[in-house]
Amino acid sequence: MRVFITGASGWIGSAVTDEVLGAGHQVTGLARSDASAAALEAKGADVQRGDLDDLASLRAGAAGADAVIHLANKHDFGNQAVSNKAERGAVQALGDALAGSGRTFVIASGMAGRGIGPIGLEVDASPFHGPDAPRGGSENLALDYVAKGVRTVISRFAPTVHGVGDTGFMKVLTEIARDKGFSAYVADGANRWPAVHRSDAARLVRLGLENAEPGAILHAIGQEGVASRTIAEAIGAGLSLPVRSIEAADAVGHFGWIGGFFAMDIPASSAQTQASLGWTPTGPTLEEDLAGRWYFDS
């Protein structure tokens, strides 16, 4: 297949690009900078210049592909409305370009804020609808395209996609601890975060691209839930800092924008995903990655 990938040079996307190319597919990656374009070309991928606001470029990339993997997101946590609007516009542009073709549309989604049950399952529908919802309601919007002749596949990623090179939530929490002089967790620290190693997440996206049923919801979850206190203690050990509890009311004041996320209890299962695709996470656990030095020495 020729696969158009947005976010192809990002943290998850670069691993997905390698995985898809390694499976013998051709890749065209969306690139907004010369550096991203050069990185993609060095891997053997073609380049489509543009970004999430360039809807014409998105449509052109989709039109020339057998399948689309949409991983890019602005992640503007200081102005979520901007991110939500861009995400919805991109999904609609890509979906419209694929409508009626039977081609595949794999899109990234998330776990945070779902608020459904004691443990999130693949059968749980997203509660987010409409342009003002988190991620612009893009998961449900993409699933609407199944009825329009698109093979939509949803990949819900754990909030922590970890590994060497990670600049996401774990790295942010590490730098906050370094700055504050102690590693913190909220209340009793029993709230849980799912986690997945980057290599496992990339392999799941490729398997979903090749084998998932239309309308499938996949969970890129290697660990159902790691207690936030366990995370804080690992960061404290890595930085040789004390570990403390803070009150829930102080979470945003202490952690900034990530405080609301780090206080969430959002365990999630990938049992159905593993059974349907024969996917078994094999990468290091979050605790194993935090026991290494990359998060603390880089």
Side-chain angles (χ1 to χ4, degrees):
M1 286 185 282
R2 173 166 288 279
V3 185
F4 176 50
I5 304 178
T6 74
S9 59
W11 168 239
I12 299 173
S14 57
V16 170
T17 295
D18 290 341
E19 180 76 26
V20 172
L21 286 169
H25 304 294
Q26 296 174 285
V27 169
T28 298
L30 184 70
R32 64 179 179 179
S33 70
D34 292 342
S36 294
L40 289 168
E41 289 172 343
K43 293 174 181 285
D46 295 326
V47 172
Q48 174 76 31
R49 293 302 295 259
D51 57 30
L52 290 188
D53 295 319
D54 186 350
L55 300 185
S57 179
L58 295 179
R59 295 187 192 101
D66 301 308
V68 172
I69 300 176
H70 174 50
L71 303 174
N73 190 283
K74 288 193 172 185
H75 295 302
D76 186 347
F77 295 107
N79 190 341
Q80 287 281 27
V82 170
S83 291
N84 296 342
K85 181 180 179 181
E87 174 68 1
R88 188 172 184 87
V91 169
Q92 187 163 7
L94 293 166
D96 286 348
L98 297 171
S101 68
R103 288 177 288 166
T104 300
F105 187 19
V106 181
I107 83 156
S109 190
M111 299 286 174
R114 309 193 73 80
I116 39 179
I119 185 164
L121 303 175
E122 293 91 339
V123 296
D124 295 327
S126 168
F128 302 132
H129 298 267
D132 297 326
R135 299 185 76 101
S138 61
E139 180 176 313
N140 283 310
L141 176 62
L143 288 170
D144 287 343
Y145 280 94
V146 174
K148 300 177 183 179
V150 179
R151 180 178 162 251
T152 298
V153 176
I154 306 297
S155 182
R156 293 176 180 164
F157 289 101
T160 300
V161 182
H162 54 88
V164 174
D166 177 14
T167 59
F169 283 178
M170 286 302 104
K171 190 63 174 175
V172 171
L173 290 170
T174 300
E175 294 309 309
I176 291 170
R178 196 193 306 272
D179 179 65
K180 300 288 186 178
F182 66 97
S183 181
Y185 56 90
V186 179
D188 65 359
N191 62 295
R192 297 153 293 175
W193 266 21
V196 67
H197 192 266
R198 178 177 177 243
S199 62
D200 290 324
R203 183 159 42 87
L204 175 60
V205 171
R206 193 260 302 169
L207 289 171
L209 167 74
E210 295 173 342
N211 301 314
E213 295 295 323
I217 296 175
L218 309 177
H219 277 191
I221 303 293
Q223 294 171 271
E224 292 188 354
V226 182
S228 63
R229 180 168 182 167
T230 299
I231 294 171
E233 288 173 343
I235 291 172
L239 294 174
S240 298
L241 292 174
V243 181
R244 301 177 191 167
S245 168
I246 61 171
E247 298 294 330
D250 298 327
V252 174
H254 178 85
F255 291 107
W257 60 266
I258 200 174
F261 293 107
F262 196 45
M264 291 178 178
D265 185 43
I266 48 173
S269 169
S270 63
Q272 181 179 324
T273 299
Q274 293 188 44
S276 66
L277 292 181
W279 173 71
T280 301
T282 58
T285 65
L286 177 58
E287 295 93 329
E288 288 169 340
D289 266 346
L290 287 173
R293 293 305 310 167
W294 184 86
Y295 282 99
F296 313 112
D297 292 342
S298 60

